[in-house]
Amino acid sequence: MKELHRGVCVQEKRSDMLLSVQDYERAARTRLPRPVYEYIASGAEDEEALRANENQFRAVSVVPRVLTAVDEPDIAREIAGCRLKFPVLVSPAGVHRMAHPDGEWASARAAARSGIVFSTSQHSSVSLEEVAAGTRSLLLGHERGADLMFQAYILRDFRITESLIRRALSAGYRAIIVTVDSPIFGYRFADSRNGLGSLPPHVSYANYEAEKTRIAEIIFTGEGGMDDHIDQLFETSIRWEHLEQVRMLCSEVPVLVKGVQDPRDVVEAAQRGFAGVILSNHGGRQLGMAPGSMAIAAECRRALTLAGFHAFPMLLDGGIRSGEDVFKALALGCDAVCIGRPVFWGLAVSGEEGVADVLRILREGFVRAMKLTGCASLSDIPMLKVIYSTAAKL
């Protein structure tokens, strides 16, 4: 403590305090090897889509109501049969072990402790079964364990896709997410400049370990690792019929479609009976000129309403960096949001505890936003007036 004037004392200024997601990113950048940090942080092509994800949140303002006497707002929600203590899910993102040795095991446990859904990626560096077991052990004795979702890509050999989904269902996953924006991988300059053409030796796509025989028939591994040839696994002509196959396979659990941005695709997902959509440009890592999801959220909600799907679940992925960002997404008609990179930053700084703290920051910021805008429940948020700056309309 130091005295400033007439007995007024303040603490010494500290540069190591982790008060925001941005603080965690700065701290993670100092801890991670540069190629790994840039692998996580970078986007495709000139990174236009990556920048749009965050910038478009800055271009949206929400007009608060006052004199509404909000004490403790109700922030719980259910999405596709999964419970959320606040409207945030951990987005499916691969290879968490790039950031921390405990990888997805730690991230999933932090999500379970926070009362939200963890989505295990097909490209997880911890097997989907181990992720599920880790959350079960954490919640041992609870009537119902953690709610988990499994994310799948459509592969050329649909037998592998089917096998992975069946494994997830057997492990107790409560919903399936199908990512549809990746017939091929986007091109990221940072990875080429850093020579990161394949995964580090200590990291692997753990879910493929049990599928090696079939995968070896597809991928030529004469030079480089599997990651160098991963594009050869994907179905490059993915169609709605492929998703219908997944839905038939998952007759007892909901299926969500991730990676849609056009209102026509959103409405078609609803018409075909899927359980929801996730508006996403893949964190800006696929099509470099794709819009940020915030730019199309309100239009997609209007299209659903006009088509008669008033309550169809619509989630937003990409660019969330604060509780107020979560709030803005809901003000534009989304039901919940998915976060990706903030989880990696918390994981890199302090493993499971770091992820839990990032989620705490988002939750507390969201609750503050509800109280300061006079919203007692989530259903009050879309009723608020939203103001767009000129930049938001670009």
Side-chain angles (χ1 to χ4, degrees):
M1 301 285 285
K2 65 177 181 180
E3 184 172 339
L4 290 182
H5 180 64
R6 293 181 180 178
V8 177
C9 295
V10 298
Q11 290 184 332
E12 295 284 351
K13 183 178 180 180
R14 291 176 52 189
S15 61
D16 62 342
M17 296 182 72
L18 300 171
L19 304 178
S20 67
V21 170
Q22 290 82 358
D23 288 339
Y24 267 98
E25 179 175 2
R26 285 188 286 269
R29 188 168 192 169
T30 67
R31 288 164 168 77
L32 294 171
R34 184 170 64 85
V36 172
Y37 170 79
E38 292 187 355
Y39 173 83
I40 298 167
S42 65
E45 304 294 341
D46 68 355
E47 300 191 333
E48 180 183 340
L50 176 68
R51 291 190 297 273
N53 278 343
E54 291 192 49
N55 291 343
Q56 286 166 359
F57 277 98
R58 308 290 79 78
V60 173
S61 301
V62 179
V63 180
R65 295 293 307 274
V66 295
L67 305 175
T68 56
V70 175
D71 184 16
E72 289 301 324
D74 180 6
I75 61 173
R77 173 152 280 174
E78 186 171 297
I79 298 289
C82 296
R83 304 159 305 171
L84 303 170
K85 286 189 176 179
F86 65 110
V88 171
L89 300 82
V90 176
S91 187
V95 291
H96 285 217
R97 277 185 169 159
M98 294 277 274
H100 190 278
D102 290 341
E104 289 83 357
W105 188 85
S107 301
R109 286 171 61 88
R113 287 167 52 190
S114 304
I116 66 170
V117 168
F118 181 82
S119 308
T120 303
S121 169
Q122 180 170 310
H123 287 169
S124 172
S125 50
V126 176
S127 76
L128 64 92
E129 290 89 353
E130 290 179 275
V131 171
T135 60
R136 277 199 302 272
S137 66
L138 181 69
L139 298 175
L140 198 63
H142 288 235
E143 182 179 344
R144 172 171 166 172
D147 287 347
L148 297 169
M149 296 186 183
F150 177 71
Q151 173 268 334
Y153 293 103
I154 301 297
L155 302 183
R156 291 188 183 186
D157 185 344
F158 192 78
R159 294 176 302 169
I160 303 173
T161 303
E162 180 178 353
S163 175
L164 289 164
I165 291 173
R166 288 193 185 280
R167 284 169 54 191
L169 298 178
S170 296
Y173 285 74
R174 297 188 181 276
I176 301 296
I177 299 169
V178 184
T179 297
V180 298
D181 60 7
S182 304
I184 60 172
F185 275 4
Y187 182 61
R188 298 187 294 276
F189 299 140
D191 294 346
S192 295
R193 293 188 179 112
N194 291 325
L196 200 64
S198 58
L199 297 177
H202 67 286
V203 179
S204 67
Y205 295 133
N207 289 322
Y208 288 154
E209 292 298 312
E211 315 293 340
K212 273 187 173 178
T213 301
R214 288 174 177 165
I215 287 175
E217 296 172 358
I218 302 171
I219 295 180
F220 171 71
T221 55
E223 292 185 7
M226 186 172 69
D227 200 45
D228 296 292
H229 310 282
I230 197 74
D231 281 1
Q232 297 177 44
L233 270 177
F234 285 71
E235 174 56 70
T236 57
S237 300
I238 183 172
R239 301 181 302 277
W240 283 105
E241 288 73 20
H242 292 104
L243 272 67
E244 295 288 0
Q245 285 182 271
V246 173
R247 198 160 63 87
M248 290 174 61
L249 184 63
C250 304
S251 58
E252 296 184 4
V253 300
V255 177
L256 296 94
V257 183
K258 179 177 181 287
V260 294
Q261 291 199 299
D262 191 298
R264 293 169 293 185
D265 293 330
V266 172
V267 170
E268 184 156 2
Q271 290 171 336
R272 287 177 175 267
F274 289 93
V277 294
I278 302 175
L279 306 179
S280 173
N281 64 18
H282 212 106
R285 295 169 72 84
Q286 286 295 98
L287 180 64
M289 62 181 179
S293 293
M294 275 290 281
I296 44 86
E299 184 181 356
C300 288
R301 177 53 72 189
R302 283 194 296 270
L304 285 167
T305 300
L306 288 172
F309 298 100
H310 302 274
F312 185 70
M314 187 179 81
L315 289 68
L316 181 143
D317 171 70
I320 300 291
R321 297 295 181 268
S322 70
E324 289 196 353
D325 288 346
V326 179
F327 190 95
K328 289 177 182 181
L330 270 63
L332 292 181
C334 297
D335 295 292
V337 303
C338 303
I339 60 166
R341 288 184 178 91
V343 171
F344 280 88
W345 307 143
L347 191 61
V349 171
S350 193
E352 180 182 331
E353 295 305 319
V355 177
D357 195 46
V358 164
L359 295 174
R360 177 194 61 79
I361 289 170
L362 293 175
R363 184 185 186 282
E364 291 181 357
F366 180 71
V367 170
R368 277 196 303 274
M370 289 199 69
K371 291 181 177 181
L372 289 170
T373 55
C375 293
S377 69
L378 299 181
S379 61
D380 293 335
I381 298 176
M383 308 303 293
L384 295 173
K385 180 178 176 59
V386 175
I387 298 175
Y388 301 88
S389 74
T390 303
K393 298 177 183 179
L394 296 178

